[in-house]
Amino acid sequence: MGSWTLAISHKSSNHGAPPRLIVLFALLVSWLGLVEAMRPSRIAELRQETVDMFYHGFDNYMNIAFPEDELRPVSCTPLTRDPLNPRNIALNDVLGNYSLTLIDSLSSLAILASAPPDKKNTGPKALSDFQDGVAALVAQYGDGRPGPSGQGARGRGFDVDSKVQVFETVIRGVGGLLSAHLFAVGELPISGYDPRIVINDDGDTYIENHPIPWPNGFKYDGQLLRLALDLAQRLLPAFYTQTGLPYPRVNLRHGIPFYLNSPLHGNNLDSKPPEDTPEITETCSAGAGSLVLEFTVLSRLTGDPRFEQAAKRAFWAVWSRRSNIGLIGAGVDAEGGHWIGGFSGIGAGIDSFFEYALKTYILLSGQELPNRTMPQGHDGDWLDPNQIYHPLSDEDNSADSFLQAWHHAHAAIKRHLYSGLHHPHYVNAHMSTGSPQAYWIDSLGAYYSGLLALAGELDEAIETHLVYTALWTRYSALPERWSVRDGHVEGGLGWWPGRPEFIESTYHLYRATRDPWYLYAGEMVLKDINRRCWTKCGWSGLQDVRTGEKSDRMESFFLGETAKYLYLLFDPDHPLNKLDASYVFTTEGHPLIIPRKKAHRPVRKMVPEQAVQPYFDAQFTNTCPRPPVLPPLTSSAVTARPDFYNAATLIRLHQIPNIHGLEGPIAKLSGSKSQIRLQERPKENYTYFPWTLPRYMLPADGVCAVTKQAQTSVIEFPSGSQQSVGSAFNLMFGGHNLVRMGSEGIAINNLAGLKLALIVEEPPETTERAWRVYSIGSLPLGRDEKVFITRDVLEDMSDPLFHRVRDSVIVDILLQIEIPLEPSEHNSSSPDPEPPLESQSTIELESDSAVGMFSSFLQQITSALREPVATFGPEPVPQPKFKYVELPAITPVGKGAAPLPDVREAPNPQTNGVIESLSWQRIFFAGYACNGKLPDAAPRAHQVIVMRRGGCSFSQKLANIPSFAPARGALQLVVVVSDDKVEDEDDDLDEGRNERTSNGRGEGKRWGGREGEKDAANVDFIRPLLDETQKTPAGIHRHRPIAMLMTGGGEEAYELLKTTRSLGLRRRYHVESQGLKISNLVVL
């Protein structure tokens, strides 16, 4: 290039320069065009290879296996149900003896029918095959009508004795039929296909009376829609449960006689004896909650609301059972409604639930609420499971509710399952606590990046998709499960049955970014499938991605999804890729849309009253972001990402030999002829991915960010280093060091022998840099789990890596309040009655904070420890009974602030059986203390003065306290009681700009914790400002300033203090390690 430019300059002249510059510019632009993206001709080649791949599978299925369900590509025979082993659910759940692969392939044929003109005439051929496929299906199963035409060669509709899984039958069977119907009537686009549909004045079509003629002689009048209705009606018995969650399986002919507890049991039309072994009632969140798209479209097309209402009810039944931290589990019992197992993740058993939350919102956007009026004139076979439930509300039916569910589900996933260590990926966690349980990813989870792209979470989608691309590059397929921690296939689960999830996400991300990197990822998938999965009779799955062993099954979704997404990736101008409408792909890859009514004349719309308030939450993503800018020359924003190689190192790709590096040609003699072949040998380890990516797409000045590694610390406490902290506490834990406090966290009784693992968290994950305990021994903790420990355990701790730090701002005022004795009559001739529970010493710690939660738990234990023991002899004198109340209080700031008195800390009422008295017993109540000097006896004869806030400044209140000589029985503390809402009081006018309890992180925020969360202290008022040094009523500076605290509660707290027998202070503490606070360790 340089020498050619130099030659031009030697021959240049004034007259020839402009044309030559134009030529140079044109050549430069053309070269940049080659670098910018994959060449259109190459995309066309890949598109044609995808078409060939589809037809190699489809033609062999039709020639060898049809009308059976699937094809065995290795043995070249049909694959059918396993009648000899009904428990073979891996096969029998899916294969229902209704030509499954053809149904799953019809929408793929309709999409191929829009192929651009080519030498093989792909578009017209696919359209003809689509129409022939519909005709063949109707010939086997009838046209869905009750008359003679409804009888097919194999049966009347889907009246077959097959027990199938509800979920698989809906997404493959019902969804495939509905999608093909929408293509057949022109609601989904096919290039060059324009069926003439007769429309009445209301916008409804009359396709049954005015069928669409096809060139093969078949007249389409809605046969597929009627067959979808027939199939869906056979699934309705599964929805007869007490929970709204459908049973996992149903017999297409006999219903659910094997579910003995169903409200429908005994009412089946053709009862079949139940099997000997009780039927499993466990379903999964995905299976129960991922029926809404198909059933909603079916209801809207047929006017029969049963299906939409049943599917939505099942969705909300799953979502309503989410944990307190917003996670859902994988297994759930359809009869009892309880979770089976505690794992949560984004993959198997849960995956499509999240998908249907977002896609239901898209599908229903702009649509009216459904008509829930049941059709009249139905026959005796008509079933409606919705009749046994309360009707769904308008909110349950609205699109916005599903968007809200998606937003909160994604937020919980990002909070508890997303791991940013090394490179972003997702872990499996306990659904109640969020504690990590397993560190593997599965191939089904590859869908999530595409879902994020649809939701506008583009950066998260891009970064997590890199992990699966690197994993595919390593194995030339995705293993079913791969261990992030160990770096190899998890538990021998190394199969790949032709799953589409990875190429599905690749397609969606390419549509969102137009980054050519995704085209090369698709090229890699296509080449690897051709190389590893081809058989003479179709396409096999891989039994083991490590060895390349083939499985003798071509799953229906290989043609229905995998080939479809590959084709759409390589056909950027396809009508579906340009369709501006609320259509979605189901979890089986079938496009669905709710048709808009079409009227010949304008119809004035009646604006209904807004029954459901529109949903909008600014804290979530509500718009689609701009895609990353494609850099010049390389034209790929993905390869320019600084974390590009981090995904490769997470997968250990750099340690794997690159089998795609080819050495030079090697001559091989065979008889009299020499043959030239290329020998595949590892040339080098992988340095980039996908392996099809041209080197010129890697930036010359690219940088690789340092992988995010956790800063951790492990603190191990020696055994026997601590004494017990009290018999009641030890008995409560049964001699163990740890006890789980529900989903709140772990309580520690004794640190001896424990090992605490800490990790540093930094903003924006937290408000400040701090440690978090992420495991205790081998017990992992969730991100929001707390570790509770009493201050008694830490009292003698002097470890520089783990030391107690006193809180200088928040203090708890402990009130001892005597409970009046109730008079009781006692008959001397009767035996002594057992003292009732109310007569025992009562401990009541009134707080709705985390402290109150723990104290409530301890109260139950200590009450049990104080069961009265039978005594003999004279009746004892009744002992006074007390309850204890904690009031959180805050210290003041400013020149006049004084340190709190150095008194012994009040004992913990939960761990001390009898407390005679707290620090101070004499209390003076001064009201607002603004009307001049208080009585001289107030500070001299009382240890505590209680005042109301307001009327004058805090400094003035203290100035009204007379001088006094320091003494043990003299004034020690002033407590100011603030109303919960103080408006324009004198102490706020000048001092209203006081420091709000925000831990120094800005005015107006709650003290401690993250903004928006309830703090363990439950304190939310302003720190008093004493901007003057304290003075006596005579205006003389006090030699010994008076300590002051402010608490809340207003009149109620003030009156409660009047009933106090004695009063003490309990200081608050936190634990620090190496100068950083341990944020989730709560000292009680």
Side-chain angles (χ1 to χ4, degrees):
M1 188 73 162
S3 61
W4 181 78
T5 307
L6 184 61
I8 292 276
S9 64
H10 288 164
K11 298 180 181 180
S12 63
S13 65
N14 292 335
H15 298 286
R20 289 173 182 148
L21 289 176
I22 293 173
V23 172
L24 178 61
F25 179 74
L27 289 173
L28 180 62
V29 169
S30 64
W31 178 76
L32 289 177
L34 293 177
V35 175
E36 181 181 358
M38 184 182 285
R39 300 189 314 274
S41 60
R42 180 57 184 154
I43 297 176
E45 291 172 2
L46 296 173
R47 181 169 61 244
Q48 187 58 55
E49 289 180 26
T50 306
V51 172
D52 294 341
M53 180 184 75
F54 172 83
Y55 268 112
H56 179 64
F58 180 75
D59 288 342
N60 275 290
Y61 164 75
M62 294 301 292
N63 294 330
I64 297 173
F66 181 78
E68 302 301 339
D69 285 317
E70 287 182 348
L71 168 68
R72 292 187 182 272
V74 177
S75 57
C76 299
T77 58
L79 178 63
T80 60
R81 293 173 58 83
D82 186 357
L84 300 179
N85 183 14
R87 294 290 171 180
N88 185 2
I89 59 176
L91 206 63
N92 295 334
D93 271 1
V94 177
L95 308 185
N97 279 341
Y98 53 80
S99 308
L100 178 61
T101 297
L102 176 59
I103 294 176
D104 233 356
S105 301
L106 287 176
S107 62
S108 297
L109 284 167
I111 286 174
L112 265 59
S114 295
D118 57 25
K119 296 179 181 179
K120 293 188 177 183
N121 208 26
T122 300
K125 179 184 185 310
L127 180 58
S128 176
D129 291 336
F130 169 76
Q131 294 169 343
D132 290 344
V134 173
L137 195 68
V138 171
Q140 294 294 325
Y141 304 100
D143 65 359
R145 287 190 170 97
S149 62
Q151 179 68 43
R154 302 197 90 193
R156 178 175 291 279
F158 299 103
D159 181 24
V160 291
D161 187 8
S162 300
K163 182 164 65 171
V164 294
Q165 191 185 84
V166 174
F167 169 66
E168 293 288 355
T169 307
V170 169
I171 66 171
R172 302 198 198 199
V174 177
L177 292 167
L178 289 174
S179 184
H181 167 76
L182 291 168
F183 277 111
V185 298
E187 294 293 350
L188 290 172
I190 299 177
S191 297
Y193 176 69
D194 186 19
R196 297 181 178 179
I197 306 295
V198 177
I199 304 172
N200 66 6
D201 292 341
D202 294 329
D204 296 319
T205 60
Y206 275 118
I207 190 173
E208 292 196 14
N209 297 328
H210 300 84
I212 304 168
W214 286 348
N216 60 359
F218 186 83
K219 294 182 178 180
Y220 186 76
D221 60 6
Q223 292 94 331
L224 296 178
L225 178 59
R226 292 193 294 273
L227 287 174
L229 178 63
D230 174 85
L231 182 57
Q233 287 186 123
R234 298 177 183 277
L235 303 176
L236 284 179
F239 290 84
Y240 279 84
T241 67
Q242 299 293 343
T243 61
L245 301 164
Y247 285 116
R249 294 171 183 87
V250 66
N251 187 291
L252 295 178
R253 175 175 294 168
H254 301 289
I256 54 168
F258 34 80
Y259 291 120
L260 304 181
N261 296 324
S262 169
L264 189 63
H265 184 64
N267 297 329
N268 292 299
L269 298 175
D270 186 9
S271 180
K272 183 178 181 180
E275 300 173 11
D276 296 335
T277 306
E279 187 67 21
I280 296 173
T281 58
E282 177 185 355
T283 185
C284 62
S285 296
S290 305
L291 313 172
V292 187
L293 298 180
E294 293 85 354
F295 272 16
T296 295
V297 171
L298 178 63
S299 285
R300 300 297 177 99
L301 292 176
T302 61
D304 188 338
R306 292 178 293 167
F307 309 99
E308 179 177 356
Q309 297 303 296
K312 286 180 176 177
R313 179 176 288 105
F315 178 93
W316 295 121
V318 173
W319 183 239
S320 66
R321 287 170 168 79
R322 66 192 182 277
S323 69
N324 291 334
I325 59 175
L327 295 177
I328 62 173
V332 60
D333 184 74
E335 288 186 343
H338 56 270
W339 294 108
I340 300 175
F343 272 37
S344 183
I346 64 165
I350 306 176
D351 48 2
S352 55
F353 178 87
F354 306 126
E355 184 182 356
Y356 275 42
L358 178 64
K359 290 183 176 179
T360 300
Y361 164 73
I362 297 173
L363 180 74
L364 294 177
S365 294
Q367 299 286 339
E368 297 178 356
L369 290 174
N371 178 9
R372 282 161 275 179
T373 303
M374 294 299 169
Q376 301 297 320
H378 47 77
D379 55 31
D381 297 346
W382 195 81
L383 295 175
D384 180 16
N386 300 287
Q387 292 178 345
I388 65 175
Y389 307 103
H390 293 295
L392 295 180
S393 66
D394 287 348
E395 185 177 0
D396 293 331
N397 280 286
S398 70
D400 282 358
S401 295
F402 288 91
L403 177 62
Q404 186 175 17
W406 156 253
H407 278 160
H408 288 276
H410 172 248
I413 291 170
K414 191 70 181 287
R415 176 71 183 165
H416 301 288
L417 306 182
Y418 176 91
S419 172
L421 297 181
H422 200 116
H423 184 83
H425 60 282
Y426 302 97
V427 302
N428 299 274
H430 195 282
M431 61 172 294
S432 296
T433 65
S435 57
Q437 301 294 310
Y439 297 90
W440 47 257
I441 57 177
D442 62 0
S443 62
L444 285 168
Y447 82 98
Y448 195 65
S449 300
L451 183 63
L452 290 171
L454 289 176
E457 307 289 348
L458 198 52
D459 190 64
E460 185 183 351
I462 293 171
E463 64 185 10
T464 53
H465 181 266
L466 287 173
V467 174
Y468 289 98
T469 310
L471 189 60
W472 183 288
T473 304
R474 174 172 175 175
Y475 290 103
S476 296
L478 288 186
E480 184 72 4
R481 190 179 290 180
W482 189 81
S483 173
V484 177
R485 180 185 58 192
D486 301 328
H488 54 65
V489 172
E490 171 83 9
L493 305 180
W495 61 80
W496 181 71
R499 293 200 190 280
E501 285 76 16
F502 171 62
I503 193 62
E504 172 189 357
S505 286
T506 304
Y507 161 71
H508 285 305
L509 276 164
Y510 178 66
R511 298 304 307 165
T513 65
R514 296 302 180 96
D515 194 313
W517 186 84
Y518 296 103
L519 295 174
Y520 289 103
E523 180 184 16
M524 173 181 67
V525 172
L526 181 60
K527 285 182 174 295
D528 286 337
I529 291 175
N530 279 320
R531 179 173 59 88
R532 307 191 77 191
C533 302
W534 184 91
T535 71
K536 66 177 181 178
C537 295
W539 301 97
S540 73
L542 295 175
Q543 191 62 35
D544 193 326
V545 298
R546 297 164 293 185
T547 64
E549 177 188 356
K550 291 181 171 63
S551 60
D552 196 11
R553 181 178 183 182
M554 186 175 75
E555 293 263 13
S556 69
F557 54 66
F558 181 80
L559 299 180
E561 292 187 85
T562 308
K564 179 184 297 170
Y565 285 122
L566 270 173
Y567 179 83
L568 287 172
L569 175 66
F570 298 131
D571 190 359
D573 295 324
H574 192 279
L576 271 183
N577 287 333
K578 296 186 174 183
L579 182 60
D580 185 14
S582 297
Y583 81 97
V584 294
F585 288 96
T586 69
T587 194
E588 190 68 13
H590 296 303
L592 290 181
I593 192 172
I594 297 177
R596 306 281 182 178
K597 288 191 175 183
K598 306 169 186 176
H600 290 298
R601 62 177 184 271
V603 178
R604 184 171 62 88
K605 286 188 176 182
M606 300 297 294
V607 180
E609 293 186 7
Q610 195 77 20
V612 180
Q613 291 297 320
Y615 163 75
F616 179 80
D617 194 330
Q619 68 176 319
F620 299 114
T621 300
N622 294 287
T623 58
C624 290
R626 296 177 65 89
V629 177
L630 301 181
L633 299 182
T634 65
S635 73
S636 173
V638 174
T639 59
R641 289 177 64 96
D643 63 348
F644 179 66
Y645 288 101
N646 295 350
T649 56
L650 177 69
I651 303 300
R652 285 75 160 178
L653 192 58
H654 60 295
Q655 302 173 0
I656 306 301
N658 183 358
I659 64 171
H660 304 285
L662 298 180
E663 296 287 350
I666 298 176
K668 180 180 180 182
L669 297 179
S670 177
S672 59
K673 297 182 180 179
S674 66
Q675 298 178 345
I676 304 296
R677 68 181 180 86
L678 293 178
Q679 184 182 22
E680 280 195 16
R681 290 188 302 181
K683 191 174 183 179
E684 59 186 6
N685 287 357
Y686 287 101
T687 54
Y688 59 90
F689 61 99
W691 62 262
T692 49
L693 187 72
R695 285 185 179 271
Y696 64 73
M697 291 191 67
L698 299 173
D701 59 347
V703 295
C704 182
V706 177
T707 58
K708 182 179 179 182
Q709 300 294 338
Q711 180 181 346
T712 60
S713 177
V714 176
I715 304 174
E716 190 166 2
F717 299 92
S719 300
S721 61
Q722 288 186 305
Q723 299 297 322
S724 298
V725 297
S727 59
F729 202 86
N730 285 330
L731 183 59
M732 176 190 71
F733 286 102
H736 299 290
N737 286 356
L738 305 176
V739 65
R740 174 161 288 284
M741 304 291 295
S743 62
E744 296 292 332
I746 302 293
I748 296 179
N749 169 35
N750 194 320
L751 289 170
L754 286 185
K755 181 189 292 184
L756 300 183
L758 287 72
I759 186 172
V760 170
E761 291 189 336
E762 304 190 32
E765 294 181 350
T766 57
T767 54
E768 60 181 348
R769 193 168 187 264
W771 292 108
R772 176 175 66 85
V773 180
Y774 70 90
S775 73
I776 305 177
S778 59
L779 180 67
L781 299 181
R783 179 167 289 180
D784 291 337
E785 280 195 280
K786 302 288 191 297
V787 178
F788 301 99
I789 187 167
T790 64
R791 64 193 75 189
D792 304 315
V793 174
L794 301 174
E795 188 172 7
D796 299 324
M797 180 66 61
S798 59
D799 192 325
L801 295 180
F802 194 84
H803 61 281
R804 185 178 72 170
V805 178
R806 177 180 288 181
D807 194 323
S808 61
V809 178
I810 304 294
V811 180
D812 288 321
I813 303 174
L814 184 64
L815 310 182
Q816 184 188 48
I817 301 173
E818 185 172 352
I819 301 174
L821 291 175
E822 295 182 3
S824 58
E825 296 181 1
H826 179 64
N827 188 346
S828 58
S829 63
S830 64
D832 292 341
E834 181 177 342
L837 181 64
E838 290 75 17
S839 69
Q840 303 167 31
S841 298
T842 304
I843 296 178
E844 181 178 338
L845 203 62
E846 299 178 355
S847 173
D848 57 357
S849 62
V851 178
M853 177 276 301
F854 187 73
S855 301
S856 176
F857 176 78
L858 295 181
Q859 176 185 342
Q860 301 175 31
I861 302 300
T862 49
S863 295
L865 294 174
R866 296 176 185 172
E867 288 292 342
V869 182
T871 57
F872 301 92
E875 185 174 335
V877 177
Q879 297 294 322
K881 302 171 223 13
F882 305 106
K883 69 175 182 178
Y884 295 86
V885 179
E886 279 186 352
L887 296 179
I890 194 166
T891 58
V893 293
K895 297 179 181 179
L900 292 174
D902 187 15
V903 295
R904 185 177 180 180
E905 186 158 308
N908 187 344
Q910 279 78 35
T911 59
N912 291 268
V914 178
I915 301 175
E916 294 293 338
S917 179
L918 298 176
S919 300
W920 304 306
Q921 299 81 35
R922 297 190 296 275
I923 306 173
F924 182 84
F925 293 87
Y928 287 97
C930 293
N931 298 325
K933 177 183 173 183
L934 297 180
D936 290 338
R940 297 172 185 175
H942 301 86
Q943 297 159 310
V944 179
I945 294 179
V946 180
M947 304 176 176
R948 296 293 303 273
R949 180 183 177 187
C952 59
S953 69
F954 296 116
S955 297
Q956 183 61 47
K957 292 177 186 291
L958 296 180
N960 287 335
I961 298 176
S963 300
F964 61 96
R968 179 177 297 180
L971 180 61
Q972 305 287 321
L973 178 69
V974 171
V975 177
V976 178
V977 180
S978 173
D979 291 330
D980 293 333
K981 295 181 180 179
V982 181
E983 300 179 359
D984 296 335
E985 296 190 28
D986 293 342
D987 65 309
D988 286 334
L989 293 178
D990 296 326
E991 303 174 51
R993 293 184 296 274
N994 294 343
E995 177 184 342
R996 182 172 291 275
T997 55
S998 62
N999 204 12
R1001 290 187 294 274
E1003 184 173 342
K1005 297 180 183 177
R1006 189 181 299 275
W1007 175 265
R1010 287 186 301 275
E1011 183 179 1
E1013 289 190 359
K1014 177 172 281 191
D1015 157 60
N1018 198 26
V1019 177
D1020 189 17
F1021 38 69
I1022 299 170
R1023 293 188 70 182
L1025 175 61
L1026 302 179
D1027 57 352
E1028 301 176 1
T1029 57
Q1030 291 191 27
K1031 298 178 181 178
T1032 66
I1036 303 172
H1037 291 283
R1038 288 191 190 274
H1039 182 61
R1040 290 184 175 86
I1042 305 170
M1044 172 186 151
L1045 289 174
M1046 185 173 75
T1047 188
E1051 182 68 27
E1052 183 179 357
Y1054 191 76
E1055 294 300 322
L1056 184 66
L1057 282 161
K1058 289 183 178 180
T1059 66
T1060 299
R1061 181 176 183 271
S1062 65
L1063 180 150
L1065 297 181
R1066 284 181 62 80
R1067 305 300 297 262
R1068 295 200 175 190
Y1069 299 88
H1070 67 267
V1071 176
E1072 291 186 358
S1073 178
Q1074 306 172 61
L1076 290 181
K1077 179 181 177 181
I1078 303 178
S1079 61
N1080 65 330
L1081 197 151
V1082 179
V1083 181
L1084 302 174

